[in-house]
Amino acid sequence: LVMAVIKLHGHPISTATAMVLCCLNEKEVEYDFALVELSAGAHKQPQYLALNPFGVVPTIQDGDLTLFESRAIVKYLAKKYKGQGADLLGNSLAEQALVEQWCEVEGHSFFPPASTILFQTVLRPLRGGATDEAVVEINIGKLNKVLDIYEERLSKSKYLAGDFFSLADLQHLPWTQYLVTACKKGDLISSRKHVNAWWEDISSR
């Protein structure tokens, strides 16, 4: 009996693909990586749209299951492979609820300003546009508010959902990496003692 290996369709430059790769590695799951050539528009071709009608990466295929949306994928992987690798979900109902809560915070409060800053400072210039500094400033303001809340939270627990590394932390990896490196906004992290310690910890994984 040959175990079907999970097939991940994506592109390494994509933060959403990177999130799924982080999860696969944490869970020690074997996978096949199918490169979707974004620059060639492969994600808008019928073959890929048959897997993901939204035409974005990543998508996974696991046997008969085809799944898109990176946050849904990492949750699925964490549940399916609960017994191996890092436990990313928490054990008690309370722990799991806190993981869910901070995953929601990432999706609704951290991701929107972080992705807007990345778009304005890196992607727009790459596409020949100009950075709208006013938009960047507004979103840095939003991110500062979120990171102040993180600072308070992380002064009381090692990770966002408690004293264990979880999906809540993992979901922050790709965006924060880009903020620090490509966007040159590392001071957002390093200026906060507890956020900085948390980032050094999770980014070294």
Side-chain angles (χ1 to χ4, degrees), residues 188-202:
L188 285 166
I189 305 298
S190 59
S191 62
R192 293 172 172 86
K193 180 184 157 194
H194 298 289
V195 170
N196 191 54
W198 166 75
W199 174 243
E200 287 190 351
D201 179 329
I202 68 170

PDB file of all heavy atoms in Angstrom, residues 188-202:
ATOM      1  N   LEU A 188       9.607  47.891  13.689  1.00  0.00           N
ATOM      2  CA  LEU A 188       8.274  47.595  14.236  1.00  0.00           C
ATOM      3  C   LEU A 188       8.364  46.438  15.232  1.00  0.00           C
ATOM      4  O   LEU A 188       7.656  46.400  16.232  1.00  0.00           O
ATOM      5  CB  LEU A 188       7.302  47.201  13.122  1.00  0.00           C
ATOM      6  CG  LEU A 188       6.772  48.310  12.213  1.00  0.00           C
ATOM      7  CD1 LEU A 188       6.103  47.717  10.984  1.00  0.00           C
ATOM      8  CD2 LEU A 188       5.791  49.204  12.970  1.00  0.00           C
ATOM      9  N   ILE A 189       9.263  45.493  14.935  1.00  0.00           N
ATOM     10  CA  ILE A 189       9.449  44.310  15.776  1.00  0.00           C
ATOM     11  C   ILE A 189      10.488  44.578  16.864  1.00  0.00           C
ATOM     12  O   ILE A 189      10.237  44.363  18.050  1.00  0.00           O
ATOM     13  CB  ILE A 189       9.899  43.103  14.912  1.00  0.00           C
ATOM     14  CG1 ILE A 189       8.920  42.848  13.759  1.00  0.00           C
ATOM     15  CG2 ILE A 189      10.108  41.854  15.759  1.00  0.00           C
ATOM     16  CD1 ILE A 189       7.507  42.502  14.170  1.00  0.00           C
ATOM     17  N   SER A 190      11.663  45.053  16.434  1.00  0.00           N
ATOM     18  CA  SER A 190      12.794  45.167  17.365  1.00  0.00           C
ATOM     19  C   SER A 190      12.580  46.218  18.457  1.00  0.00           C
ATOM     20  O   SER A 190      13.193  46.144  19.518  1.00  0.00           O
ATOM     21  CB  SER A 190      14.087  45.464  16.595  1.00  0.00           C
ATOM     22  OG  SER A 190      13.952  46.663  15.853  1.00  0.00           O
ATOM     23  N   SER A 191      11.679  47.172  18.209  1.00  0.00           N
ATOM     24  CA  SER A 191      11.430  48.217  19.216  1.00  0.00           C
ATOM     25  C   SER A 191      10.570  47.715  20.380  1.00  0.00           C
ATOM     26  O   SER A 191      10.383  48.420  21.361  1.00  0.00           O
ATOM     27  CB  SER A 191      10.737  49.413  18.552  1.00  0.00           C
ATOM     28  OG  SER A 191       9.481  49.008  18.023  1.00  0.00           O
ATOM     29  N   ARG A 192      10.054  46.497  20.249  1.00  0.00           N
ATOM     30  CA  ARG A 192       9.208  45.932  21.311  1.00  0.00           C
ATOM     31  C   ARG A 192       9.892  44.703  21.888  1.00  0.00           C
ATOM     32  O   ARG A 192      10.052  43.695  21.195  1.00  0.00           O
ATOM     33  CB  ARG A 192       7.828  45.567  20.749  1.00  0.00           C
ATOM     34  CG  ARG A 192       7.022  46.776  20.321  1.00  0.00           C
ATOM     35  CD  ARG A 192       5.752  46.371  19.584  1.00  0.00           C
ATOM     36  NE  ARG A 192       4.894  47.524  19.354  1.00  0.00           N
ATOM     37  CZ  ARG A 192       5.003  48.356  18.308  1.00  0.00           C
ATOM     38  NH1 ARG A 192       5.949  48.149  17.407  1.00  0.00           N
ATOM     39  NH2 ARG A 192       4.188  49.387  18.182  1.00  0.00           N
ATOM     40  N   LYS A 193      10.264  44.777  23.130  1.00  0.00           N
ATOM     41  CA  LYS A 193      11.085  43.735  23.765  1.00  0.00           C
ATOM     42  C   LYS A 193      10.492  42.330  23.613  1.00  0.00           C
ATOM     43  O   LYS A 193      11.160  41.396  23.176  1.00  0.00           O
ATOM     44  CB  LYS A 193      11.259  44.082  25.246  1.00  0.00           C
ATOM     45  CG  LYS A 193      12.103  43.086  26.026  1.00  0.00           C
ATOM     46  CD  LYS A 193      12.138  43.473  27.502  1.00  0.00           C
ATOM     47  CE  LYS A 193      12.476  42.251  28.357  1.00  0.00           C
ATOM     48  NZ  LYS A 193      12.204  42.505  29.774  1.00  0.00           N
ATOM     49  N   HIS A 194       9.235  42.182  23.981  1.00  0.00           N
ATOM     50  CA  HIS A 194       8.631  40.846  23.993  1.00  0.00           C
ATOM     51  C   HIS A 194       8.281  40.364  22.582  1.00  0.00           C
ATOM     52  O   HIS A 194       8.431  39.183  22.270  1.00  0.00           O
ATOM     53  CB  HIS A 194       7.395  40.818  24.896  1.00  0.00           C
ATOM     54  CG  HIS A 194       7.726  41.130  26.329  1.00  0.00           C
ATOM     55  ND1 HIS A 194       8.417  40.257  27.132  1.00  0.00           N
ATOM     56  CD2 HIS A 194       7.489  42.233  27.082  1.00  0.00           C
ATOM     57  CE1 HIS A 194       8.589  40.799  28.334  1.00  0.00           C
ATOM     58  NE2 HIS A 194       8.033  42.004  28.315  1.00  0.00           N
ATOM     59  N   VAL A 195       7.824  41.275  21.739  1.00  0.00           N
ATOM     60  CA  VAL A 195       7.541  40.922  20.338  1.00  0.00           C
ATOM     61  C   VAL A 195       8.840  40.491  19.661  1.00  0.00           C
ATOM     62  O   VAL A 195       8.870  39.513  18.912  1.00  0.00           O
ATOM     63  CB  VAL A 195       6.892  42.108  19.578  1.00  0.00           C
ATOM     64  CG1 VAL A 195       6.832  41.830  18.077  1.00  0.00           C
ATOM     65  CG2 VAL A 195       5.491  42.387  20.116  1.00  0.00           C
ATOM     66  N   ASN A 196       9.919  41.204  19.960  1.00  0.00           N
ATOM     67  CA  ASN A 196      11.214  40.899  19.355  1.00  0.00           C
ATOM     68  C   ASN A 196      11.715  39.513  19.786  1.00  0.00           C
ATOM     69  O   ASN A 196      12.191  38.734  18.960  1.00  0.00           O
ATOM     70  CB  ASN A 196      12.228  41.971  19.724  1.00  0.00           C
ATOM     71  CG  ASN A 196      13.517  41.850  18.909  1.00  0.00           C
ATOM     72  OD1 ASN A 196      13.494  41.833  17.691  1.00  0.00           O
ATOM     73  ND2 ASN A 196      14.635  41.736  19.603  1.00  0.00           N
ATOM     74  N   ALA A 197      11.582  39.204  21.081  1.00  0.00           N
ATOM     75  CA  ALA A 197      12.013  37.894  21.596  1.00  0.00           C
ATOM     76  C   ALA A 197      11.189  36.782  20.943  1.00  0.00           C
ATOM     77  O   ALA A 197      11.713  35.734  20.551  1.00  0.00           O
ATOM     78  CB  ALA A 197      11.860  37.847  23.111  1.00  0.00           C
ATOM     79  N   TRP A 198       9.884  37.046  20.813  1.00  0.00           N
ATOM     80  CA  TRP A 198       8.976  36.084  20.168  1.00  0.00           C
ATOM     81  C   TRP A 198       9.371  35.886  18.713  1.00  0.00           C
ATOM     82  O   TRP A 198       9.466  34.749  18.237  1.00  0.00           O
ATOM     83  CB  TRP A 198       7.545  36.623  20.283  1.00  0.00           C
ATOM     84  CG  TRP A 198       6.491  35.990  19.432  1.00  0.00           C
ATOM     85  CD1 TRP A 198       5.910  34.769  19.626  1.00  0.00           C
ATOM     86  CD2 TRP A 198       5.844  36.554  18.275  1.00  0.00           C
ATOM     87  NE1 TRP A 198       4.939  34.536  18.654  1.00  0.00           N
ATOM     88  CE2 TRP A 198       4.883  35.619  17.819  1.00  0.00           C
ATOM     89  CE3 TRP A 198       5.985  37.772  17.592  1.00  0.00           C
ATOM     90  CZ2 TRP A 198       4.073  35.860  16.706  1.00  0.00           C
ATOM     91  CZ3 TRP A 198       5.173  37.996  16.485  1.00  0.00           C
ATOM     92  CH2 TRP A 198       4.230  37.056  16.056  1.00  0.00           C
ATOM     93  N   TRP A 199       9.646  36.975  17.999  1.00  0.00           N
ATOM     94  CA  TRP A 199      10.007  36.871  16.588  1.00  0.00           C
ATOM     95  C   TRP A 199      11.323  36.129  16.408  1.00  0.00           C
ATOM     96  O   TRP A 199      11.470  35.269  15.533  1.00  0.00           O
ATOM     97  CB  TRP A 199      10.072  38.255  15.922  1.00  0.00           C
ATOM     98  CG  TRP A 199      10.573  38.185  14.512  1.00  0.00           C
ATOM     99  CD1 TRP A 199      11.712  38.733  13.996  1.00  0.00           C
ATOM    100  CD2 TRP A 199       9.962  37.466  13.423  1.00  0.00           C
ATOM    101  NE1 TRP A 199      11.850  38.414  12.667  1.00  0.00           N
ATOM    102  CE2 TRP A 199      10.773  37.635  12.290  1.00  0.00           C
ATOM    103  CE3 TRP A 199       8.806  36.703  13.298  1.00  0.00           C
ATOM    104  CZ2 TRP A 199      10.493  37.081  11.051  1.00  0.00           C
ATOM    105  CZ3 TRP A 199       8.515  36.140  12.065  1.00  0.00           C
ATOM    106  CH2 TRP A 199       9.352  36.335  10.967  1.00  0.00           C
ATOM    107  N   GLU A 200      12.319  36.418  17.260  1.00  0.00           N
ATOM    108  CA  GLU A 200      13.610  35.721  17.166  1.00  0.00           C
ATOM    109  C   GLU A 200      13.420  34.220  17.374  1.00  0.00           C
ATOM    110  O   GLU A 200      14.044  33.399  16.718  1.00  0.00           O
ATOM    111  CB  GLU A 200      14.605  36.306  18.157  1.00  0.00           C
ATOM    112  CG  GLU A 200      15.106  37.679  17.725  1.00  0.00           C
ATOM    113  CD  GLU A 200      16.264  38.204  18.551  1.00  0.00           C
ATOM    114  OE1 GLU A 200      16.599  37.586  19.582  1.00  0.00           O
ATOM    115  OE2 GLU A 200      16.840  39.215  18.139  1.00  0.00           O
ATOM    116  N   ASP A 201      12.518  33.886  18.297  1.00  0.00           N
ATOM    117  CA  ASP A 201      12.225  32.491  18.592  1.00  0.00           C
ATOM    118  C   ASP A 201      11.547  31.806  17.385  1.00  0.00           C
ATOM    119  O   ASP A 201      12.046  30.811  16.864  1.00  0.00           O
ATOM    120  CB  ASP A 201      11.317  32.434  19.835  1.00  0.00           C
ATOM    121  CG  ASP A 201      10.905  31.014  20.239  1.00  0.00           C
ATOM    122  OD1 ASP A 201      10.784  30.142  19.344  1.00  0.00           O
ATOM    123  OD2 ASP A 201      10.687  30.772  21.426  1.00  0.00           O
ATOM    124  N   ILE A 202      10.433  32.349  16.941  1.00  0.00           N
ATOM    125  CA  ILE A 202       9.657  31.634  15.900  1.00  0.00           C
ATOM    126  C   ILE A 202      10.346  31.676  14.535  1.00  0.00           C
ATOM    127  O   ILE A 202      10.253  30.716  13.769  1.00  0.00           O
ATOM    128  CB  ILE A 202       8.189  32.134  15.806  1.00  0.00           C
ATOM    129  CG1 ILE A 202       8.084  33.567  15.285  1.00  0.00           C
ATOM    130  CG2 ILE A 202       7.476  31.971  17.147  1.00  0.00           C
ATOM    131  CD1 ILE A 202       6.645  33.986  14.962  1.00  0.00           C
TER     132      ILE A 202
END
